[in-house]
Amino acid sequence: MNLTLYGYEDHWIAVDCGMMIRQDLPNAPLQVPNLDTPKALGIAPKALYITHGHEDHIGAVAWLWPHWQCPVYATPLAAGLLRLKFAEHQLSSAAIQVIEPGEALESGPFSLRYLGVPHSIPESCALLVMAGPYRVLHSGDWKLDPEPIIGAPIDSSQFKALAPVDLVVGDSTNAPVPGHSGSEGDVARALARTLTQCEGRVIVSCFASNLARVLAIGRAAEQCGRRVSLMGRSMERMVSVARGLGYMDDFPAVVPAHDLGYLPPDEVVVIATGSQGEPRAALQRLAQGRHPHVDLQPGDNVIFSAKAIPGNERPIEQLKKRLQQLGVQLFDEFNHPELHATGHPAQEEMTRFYQWLSPQHLLPVHGESLHQQAHQRLATSLGIDAPLAPVNGDMIRFDQQGLQHEQHYPQPPCIVSQNSVVPHPGLEGDTSTHPRRGSLYLALPVCATETGWARIGRLMLDNTGANALDEDSFSEWLDEQLADLHADTLADLRLGLQPRLIAWLAERLQHLPEVHLQIMASDLPAPIADE
């Protein structure tokens, strides 16, 4: 859920405006950034710059833009997706302005340039942000892919010409991972080999936004004489917008799902949403026998061409169990890792990128605290100053003295409910009220283990206006509860932890504050190999 604000001489701009899915809450609602802090500080961005079209970077624009009414700059694919969102919200899309990678533009004291970078969606860009004497590179999501299938490889000369930059605000997602992230070209060849070997119907599930992967699947299907069908609203929408921009001119003709019953199974490849175990996605309906047009049979094949997002492991495992009960052959990241490549850089790529840019300072963003800390260690090894690992709500100053943490502002969750954005009620009461007994905001990062759940990284606690709390004993108690609770999903974990948390606080505090709990799924980083 990305939203970064940059200010210089009282002029502010915003970079990205995304949403997230709250898997720890019933019905998995959407959450968008909380605008209370910028509003209280008098911050209203004069322009919004979009780095790429993933939902965690554009998903909240239609919800929050009405508060700003500023120009929105985006590359053609992201702009097309935003126009659809604005139309759904009955908003005029006149504010959405298309900018091509490589172009420059200005807003007050800011000068910005869009710089194309490979990622798992076309037209992803880093932003060179210049104001006064400072030159900051906001990396966005990126990787170094020599064969991205759609779009060109990164232009190293473009980034070398920027050196030295003062600061990189950089993607930490795969910072703990040694080596290289892999290429879409290699994945395309692996998919083609796998499809050739499959008998029966083939279902390939991937992210709808990974158009290079979708195109590779379509090409591979055509090569082995299979017809292609798309399942899932987001998949159909993404392919439609991409085709309109000329990205998928050689994608084969699509068979409507309602016609699949007329084709022999071994002549069919279905590209479906649902690789993360989403309850309403196409793959889940297939696994539960609820799809109106296709019934999976023993001997069919399901390929997961996507890695599990941290926090989704258990729903994905449940999905796979249902598929196995149907007699379906599974291909996933564990038994066939060659069928997926991440869209984020591993250590080898990050090192090369920073050698091009020669940054003096780094602010590691994206990922959890362990990913940011790995990014800090990598930067330090390269002679780059990286003193801070920011969390949501941090106000950070960058000046001639480097990076300094100014203040942290709590960020109570805002949930999309019935087409409006409302404060999340937490465990008790309503965050729109101002409780006399204070508020306790708890952000609890956890990871799934073989036996249950475990806390990972920092415990983020803010007990504004509430009684003092012994954080060490509180952390120890939380660890004990997580080890004791048996829950298959984040939602179940939250439901199990709620009454225990309230009882513990009621026993130890004179006045029980309003409690706002956010459980965040993380993942243990891969071990760093000795070089």
Side-chain angles (χ1 to χ4, degrees):
M1 188 176 63
N2 295 275
L3 170 59
T4 307
L5 294 163
Y6 288 94
Y8 188 82
E9 294 180 348
D10 295 324
H11 186 101
W12 290 83
I13 60 173
V15 176
D16 291 328
C17 186
M19 67 183 182
M20 66 184 289
I21 299 174
R22 286 299 301 270
Q23 297 164 328
D24 60 320
L25 296 180
N27 301 318
L30 303 177
Q31 180 177 328
V32 298
N34 189 320
L35 296 186
D36 288 350
T37 296
K39 184 177 179 181
L41 298 175
I43 296 173
K46 302 296 184 183
L48 170 59
Y49 301 93
I50 301 298
T51 61
H52 65 282
H54 276 148
E55 286 295 306
D56 61 330
H57 292 256
I58 68 169
V61 176
W63 299 105
L64 303 187
W65 175 85
H67 296 276
W68 300 331
Q69 300 283 323
C70 64
V72 180
Y73 297 95
T75 50
L77 178 61
L81 297 170
L82 281 171
R83 288 194 182 103
L84 291 176
K85 291 179 180 293
F86 272 43
E88 289 178 351
H89 286 248
Q90 298 181 327
L91 297 172
S92 168
S93 60
I96 301 172
Q97 302 186 31
V98 176
I99 184 165
E100 296 288 343
E103 287 190 38
L105 58 164
E106 295 183 353
S107 176
F110 287 95
S111 298
L112 297 96
R113 184 176 295 277
Y114 274 68
L115 302 168
V117 290
H119 182 44
S120 55
I121 188 173
E123 300 173 359
S124 190
C125 288
L127 290 177
L128 179 65
V129 182
M130 296 172 284
Y134 303 103
R135 301 164 76 243
V136 177
L137 187 88
H138 184 103
S139 79
D141 292 356
W142 65 280
K143 64 183 290 187
L144 299 184
D145 191 337
E147 195 179 358
I149 303 295
I150 295 180
I154 196 168
D155 182 355
S156 61
S157 62
Q158 198 173 42
F159 289 89
K160 290 176 181 177
L162 303 178
V165 298
D166 298 302
L167 170 67
V168 170
V169 179
D171 181 358
S172 310
T173 306
N174 277 341
V177 180
H180 196 283
S181 62
S183 172
E184 284 296 327
D186 292 334
V187 175
R189 286 182 282 275
L191 283 166
R193 291 193 300 270
T194 302
L195 287 187
T196 302
Q197 298 165 3
C198 285
E199 298 179 0
R201 188 183 288 108
V202 178
I203 314 292
V204 186
S205 188
C206 64
F207 293 110
S209 58
N210 194 339
L211 291 169
R213 191 75 50 81
V214 174
L215 179 59
I217 297 165
R219 289 173 173 172
E222 193 170 45
Q223 289 171 11
C224 59
R226 291 178 180 261
R227 306 287 296 277
V228 176
S229 183
L230 303 178
M231 280 189 187
R233 183 170 172 238
S234 60
M235 184 73 69
E236 294 170 355
R237 169 182 288 190
M238 189 67 69
V239 170
S240 174
V241 173
R243 275 182 152 168
L245 294 170
Y247 281 124
M248 306 186 77
D249 288 342
D250 60 342
F251 192 76
V254 173
V255 176
H258 57 73
D259 288 342
L260 288 176
Y262 299 107
L263 296 174
D266 58 0
E267 294 182 12
V268 170
V269 168
V270 175
I271 310 176
T273 58
S275 64
Q276 301 304 301
E278 301 95 320
R280 293 178 292 274
L283 188 57
Q284 191 71 254
R285 297 199 305 272
L286 288 168
Q288 296 176 356
R290 295 189 294 108
H291 197 279
H293 306 300
V294 175
D295 290 319
L296 292 181
Q297 304 292 332
D300 287 345
N301 309 270
V302 173
I303 298 173
F304 285 81
S305 189
K307 185 178 180 180
I309 293 175
N312 292 346
E313 294 89 352
R314 289 174 184 250
I316 293 173
E317 283 306 309
Q318 291 172 344
L319 171 62
K320 290 178 180 177
K321 286 179 182 177
R322 293 191 188 100
L323 292 168
Q324 288 171 330
Q325 289 169 356
L326 296 175
V328 170
Q329 183 178 8
L330 294 183
F331 301 77
D332 61 18
E333 60 183 291
F334 303 107
N335 59 16
H336 287 275
E338 73 278 6
L339 298 177
H340 175 63
T342 177
H344 301 270
Q347 292 174 1
E348 180 183 308
E349 295 154 275
M350 299 171 82
T351 299
R352 192 184 316 170
F353 194 55
Y354 294 150
Q355 288 172 344
W356 296 344
L357 291 166
S358 299
Q360 295 179 336
H361 305 273
L362 169 77
L363 188 67
V365 296
H366 306 340
E368 301 295 337
S369 60
L370 286 174
H371 303 86
Q372 293 173 292
Q373 291 162 12
H375 201 172
Q376 287 176 292
R377 290 193 296 271
L378 178 68
T380 301
S381 72
L382 297 172
I384 303 167
D385 183 51
L388 303 178
V391 298
N392 292 332
D394 279 355
M395 176 75 81
I396 294 167
R397 175 177 295 275
F398 180 66
D399 56 22
Q400 299 296 337
Q401 282 70 50
L403 291 161
Q404 303 167 58
H405 181 269
E406 290 245 313
Q407 192 166 345
H408 175 75
Y409 298 91
Q411 301 295 300
C414 284
I415 300 297
V416 174
S417 175
Q418 297 180 346
N419 292 325
S420 63
V421 178
V422 298
H424 181 254
L427 304 184
E428 293 286 332
D430 188 332
T431 56
S432 62
T433 63
H434 299 278
R436 296 178 187 174
R437 297 175 179 175
S439 299
L440 186 145
Y441 298 96
L442 172 63
L444 179 61
V446 301
C447 69
T449 69
E450 292 182 1
T451 57
W453 299 90
R455 181 166 63 93
I456 184 170
R458 296 169 295 191
L459 177 70
M460 286 165 272
L461 177 69
D462 188 287
N463 56 331
T464 306
N467 294 142
L469 190 66
D470 183 343
E471 293 190 21
D472 289 338
S473 62
F474 183 46
S475 296
E476 291 176 5
W477 176 83
L478 276 173
D479 290 341
E480 293 173 358
Q481 301 309 304
L482 288 171
D484 183 56
L485 281 167
H486 299 284
D488 291 331
T489 66
L490 288 176
D492 292 340
L493 180 62
R494 188 175 191 279
L495 290 173
L497 188 58
Q498 284 179 8
R500 300 187 185 200
L501 178 57
I502 293 174
W504 191 90
L505 293 170
E507 184 179 327
R508 286 160 179 80
L509 300 182
Q510 183 178 1
H511 300 293
L512 183 64
E514 283 190 358
V515 181
H516 310 284
L517 173 64
Q518 181 175 10
I519 300 180
M520 304 175 296
S522 182
D523 196 11
L524 289 169
I528 299 176
D530 293 331
E531 295 295 336

